[in-house]
């Protein structure tokens, strides 16, 4: 759950990257960084904080070159320390390299132990640095071959951008957990100017046209001097032997992505509206109004209102200057920030039966406080409707739900959750219903035979069905801890 952005062959590349990261700020608020190259050296500036805090005019001017990549981060592995701020830079075979990563390497503990035992000196605690070390130790001849060889050792989610003085590389793991899209900018010198981004909303801001998504298992190389693109695919033999499937993270559409982004060629806003419609059809309730938990819950609430015929009202106001409660690092901070972040519209909800639509319940902290606030504001009844299944299992692919025992649905039944949250009623969209919604948006029936059940989506946080043995093993260990 980070954001990556890259651009080639454009004047003021650092400022284009800055704008791109600004559009991706929702994907991480802990730190930001940009690397630029003038086809000779790579210049990098990175620091903790929001994009607007990290970069001022004087920093952007110093980032010389017509090619850039950037990163916004929130930590799921390694913690929020300075050495983990991306892009990470290094020299591999004498070539300066800058790397930005969105995802999570599941076998990072094993890789780290092996590297340290063989003499590697690691500066950071995050998994991204391991990719650079694996590439540096490869005995392959060319940089591209080292890049391809390194992915044979990685397990998990990685959507990467890698900048050298001669090329920009875009990489997506063989399962395709995290999105990465290619776009095109108008160029003034006749050479194509390419844009790569975690979400298309960043392309909209800089004026780029969406071309396509980077495919699972693809390495797209862009030669900076000519703008020429080539697609390469790393060895999928091991991937296929483990019977892994394409597994796009369905939580991107449920929660993470900005509503105006095309994610795997599906508009997030449309997907959420359809989730709300399905939620109304399968979990009706007698209420006076439908309200949303902003922001991702808004299109879901509109869909629920549309399908149910219950009026949609604005019953909760969000303070946009407070970070997402879901990604705050400690429980006591989360508790306090719910009140800073959301405020009920008292005159709207007073004396009314309210159905509240939210995207998910993870720890339950936010939901319980919202219900409490609505009753304090005079609501007669508060019914919770959640446009996704109960989150029962930790994600090892880049979502900040690292401990199974922290997940409310893991330790309580839906009825117990309803009592705990103090709502009048509580209901969820089922996994089957959610998959059915997403399958309506898939334009081409190109799924592998084994994927027909889940439509090529990763739903491990709902089902516990992970794509790799390492994640399964970690899940079993946490199950024993909970029991």
């Amino acid at each position: 759950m980070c954001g990556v952005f890259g651009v080639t062959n454009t004047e003021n590349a650092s400022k284009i990257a800055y704008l791109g990261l600004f559009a991706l700020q929702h994907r991480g608020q802990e730190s930001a960084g940009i690397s630029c190259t003038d086809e000779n050296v790579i210049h990098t500036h990175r620091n903790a904080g929001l994009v607007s805090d990290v970069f001022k005019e004087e920093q952007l001017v110093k980032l010389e070159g017509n090619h850039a990549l950037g990163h916004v981060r929130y930590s799921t592995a390694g913690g929020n320390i300075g050495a983990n701020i991306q892009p990470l830079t290094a020299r591999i075979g004498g070539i300066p390299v800058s790397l930005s990563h969105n995802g999570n390497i599941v076998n990072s503990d094993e890789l780290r132990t092996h590297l340290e035992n063989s003499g590697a000196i690691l500066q950071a605690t995050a998994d991204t640095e391991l990719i650079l070390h694996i590439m540096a130790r490869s005995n392959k001849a060319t940089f591209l071959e080292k890049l391809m060889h390194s992915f044979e050792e990685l397990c998990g989610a990685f959507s990467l951008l890698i900048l050298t003085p001669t090329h920009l590389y875009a990489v997506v793991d063989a399962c395709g957990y995290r999105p990465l899209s290619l776009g095109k900018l108008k160029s003034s010198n006749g050479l194509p100017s390419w844009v790569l981004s975690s979400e298309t909303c960043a392309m909209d801001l800089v004026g780029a046209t969406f071309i396509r998504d980077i495919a699972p298992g693809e390495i797209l190389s862009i030669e900076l001097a000519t703008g020429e693109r080539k697609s390469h695919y790393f060895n999928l033999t091991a991937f296929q032997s483990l019977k892994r499937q394409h597994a796009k993270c369905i939580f991107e559409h449920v929660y993470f992505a900005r509503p105006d982004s095309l994610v795997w060629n599906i508009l997030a806003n449309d997907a959420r509206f359809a989730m709300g419609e399905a939620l109304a059809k399968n979990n009706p309730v007698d209420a006076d109004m439908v309200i949303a938990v902003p922001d991702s819950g808004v299109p879901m609430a509109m869909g629920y209102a549309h399908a149910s015929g219950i009026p949609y009202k604005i019953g909760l106001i969000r303070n946009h200057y407070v970070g997402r409660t879901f990604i705050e690092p400690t429980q006591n901070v989360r508790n306090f920030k719910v009140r800073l972040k959301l405020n009920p519209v008292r005159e709207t909800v007073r004396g009314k039966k309210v159905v509240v639509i939210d995207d998910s319940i993870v720890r339950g902290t936010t939901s319980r406080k919202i219900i409490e606030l609505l009753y304090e504001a005079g609501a007669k009844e508060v019914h919770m409707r959640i446009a996704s299944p109960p989150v029962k299992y930790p994600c090892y692919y880049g979502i900040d739900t690292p401990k199974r025992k922290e997940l409310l649905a893991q330790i309580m039944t839906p009825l117990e959750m309803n009592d705990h949250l103090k709502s009048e009623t509580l209901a969820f969209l089922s996994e089957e219903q959610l998959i059915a919604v997403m399958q309506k948006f898939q334009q081409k029936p190109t799924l592998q035979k084994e994927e027909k059940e889940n439509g090529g989506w990763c739903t491990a946080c709902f089902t516990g069905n992970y794509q790799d043995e390492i994640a399964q093993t970690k899940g079993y260990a946490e199950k024993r801890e909970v029991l």
Side-chain angles (χ1 to χ4, degrees):
M1 174 52 182
C2 296
V4 299
F5 184 89
V7 62
T8 69
N9 189 39
T10 184
E11 293 181 5
N12 301 313
S14 63
K15 293 185 178 180
I16 298 294
Y18 169 85
L19 292 172
L21 294 183
F22 199 88
L24 298 175
Q25 185 74 85
H26 61 286
R27 298 188 69 89
Q29 296 99 45
E30 290 182 3
S31 63
I34 293 175
S35 290
C36 288
T37 182
D38 55 9
E39 300 187 23
N40 184 22
V41 297
I42 292 179
H43 312 276
T44 300
H45 178 76
R46 55 184 188 167
N47 212 334
L50 300 176
V51 175
S52 58
D53 296 326
V54 172
F55 295 100
K56 304 299 181 186
E57 181 72 23
E58 55 267 29
Q59 282 93 31
L60 294 173
V61 169
K62 292 177 183 177
L63 293 172
E64 299 177 356
N66 294 334
H67 320 282
L69 66 76
H71 188 270
V72 288
R73 182 175 190 263
Y74 100 93
S75 54
T76 57
N80 185 20
I81 64 172
N84 292 336
I85 298 174
Q86 298 184 37
L88 297 184
T89 57
R91 296 185 71 86
I92 297 177
I95 299 172
V97 177
S98 184
L99 182 149
S100 292
H101 172 210
N102 176 27
N104 218 44
I105 306 302
V106 179
N107 60 335
S108 61
D109 291 343
E110 295 85 347
L111 293 171
R112 181 176 298 278
T113 299
H114 171 72
L115 288 167
E116 289 179 336
N117 289 343
S118 60
I121 300 174
L122 302 176
Q123 302 294 322
T125 57
D127 52 0
T128 306
E129 184 185 21
L130 305 178
I131 301 171
L132 295 171
H133 278 270
I134 293 168
M135 288 179 61
R137 287 166 175 257
S138 172
N139 58 8
K140 299 297 182 180
T142 68
F143 185 87
L144 179 60
E145 288 172 334
K146 291 177 186 291
L147 187 58
M148 296 179 74
H149 180 244
S150 69
F151 300 133
E152 297 177 16
E153 298 190 39
L154 301 178
C155 178
F158 48 92
S159 290
L160 308 173
L161 292 181
I162 303 172
L163 182 67
T164 75
T166 60
H167 288 81
L168 177 63
Y169 298 91
V171 186
V172 171
D173 65 81
C175 287
Y177 291 107
R178 298 283 157 216
L180 187 59
S181 299
L182 174 71
K184 192 173 185 180
L185 269 173
K186 288 183 180 179
S187 176
S188 58
N189 60 8
L191 293 176
S193 177
W194 302 108
V195 171
L196 288 142
S197 178
S198 294
E199 294 184 30
T200 60
C201 62
M203 296 183 187
D204 295 337
L205 179 58
V206 302
T209 302
F210 169 72
I211 302 296
R212 67 174 178 89
D213 294 315
I214 308 302
E218 179 181 3
I219 302 174
L220 178 71
S221 67
I222 300 174
E223 187 175 359
L224 302 183
T226 64
E228 182 181 4
R229 291 181 298 152
K230 290 183 181 178
S231 290
H232 317 267
Y233 295 88
F234 45 91
N235 186 353
L236 298 181
T237 304
F239 172 82
Q240 291 163 347
S241 69
L242 292 172
K243 297 183 179 179
R244 296 181 189 167
Q245 305 168 14
H246 291 170
K248 306 180 295 291
C249 174
I250 205 164
F251 226 67
E252 289 279 353
H253 278 290
V254 171
Y255 175 75
F256 287 143
R258 247 176 57 167
D260 54 336
S261 285
L262 278 173
V263 182
W264 296 299
N265 215 25
I266 300 171
L267 185 65
N269 187 77
D270 289 352
R272 290 171 187 163
F273 189 92
M275 290 173 199
E277 290 183 310
L279 188 60
K281 291 172 185 175
N282 291 283
N283 297 285
V285 63
D286 177 25
D288 299 315
M289 66 181 65
V290 178
I291 70 171
V293 179
D295 285 320
S296 50
V298 171
M300 295 166 172
M302 294 176 71
Y304 193 100
H306 179 261
S308 67
I310 302 171
Y312 170 73
K313 301 285 186 180
I314 297 175
L316 289 167
I317 301 298
R318 180 183 174 186
N319 181 346
H320 286 84
Y321 299 97
V322 181
R324 285 184 167 185
T325 57
F326 177 61
I327 61 175
E328 288 296 334
T330 59
Q331 191 68 22
N332 63 327
V333 174
R334 276 190 293 268
N335 282 332
F336 179 66
K337 280 202 172 178
V338 172
R339 287 185 174 272
L340 287 179
K341 180 179 175 180
L342 293 167
N343 189 53
V345 183
R346 293 178 179 273
E347 295 303 318
T348 299
V349 303
R350 184 179 291 125
K352 303 296 184 181
K353 292 185 287 186
V354 179
V355 54
V356 182
I357 311 298
D358 204 357
D359 54 75
S360 59
I361 292 178
V362 180
R363 299 172 179 90
T365 305
T366 300
S367 299
R368 183 166 176 165
K369 289 293 181 183
I370 286 170
I371 293 167
E372 180 183 313
L373 288 172
L374 288 169
Y375 277 126
E376 286 178 1
K380 183 178 179 181
E381 295 177 5
V382 179
H383 302 264
M384 287 294 295
R385 293 294 181 268
I386 307 301
S388 65
V391 177
K392 293 183 177 180
Y393 303 90
C395 175
Y396 302 110
Y397 305 117
I399 301 177
D400 187 21
T401 55
K403 293 296 181 182
R404 194 168 180 169
K405 63 185 178 182
E406 295 179 8
L407 305 175
L408 195 64
Q410 177 59 228
I411 57 177
M412 294 183 185
T413 66
L415 188 59
E416 290 170 335
M417 291 174 70
N418 185 54
D419 291 340
H420 172 76
L421 298 174
K422 300 183 179 177
S423 46
E424 190 74 20
T425 62
L426 170 67
F428 295 84
L429 200 63
S430 72
E431 184 203 358
E432 295 76 18
Q433 292 159 0
L434 180 58
I435 293 296
V437 167
M438 298 310 299
Q439 284 180 328
K440 291 179 183 178
F441 290 96
Q442 291 176 315
Q443 297 175 347
K444 296 180 182 178
T446 57
L447 305 177
Q448 301 173 22
K449 186 185 285 185
E450 299 85 357
E451 294 175 341
K452 297 232 173 158
E453 246 179 61
N454 69 358
W457 298 98
C458 177
T459 58
C461 56
F462 308 133
T463 65
N465 296 324
Y466 301 100
Q467 285 291 309
D468 57 87
E469 189 174 332
I470 295 173
Q472 289 284 10
T473 301
K474 289 184 177 183
Y476 288 138
E478 290 206 19
K479 181 179 180 180
R480 290 194 296 271
E481 183 182 331
V482 171
L483 296 175

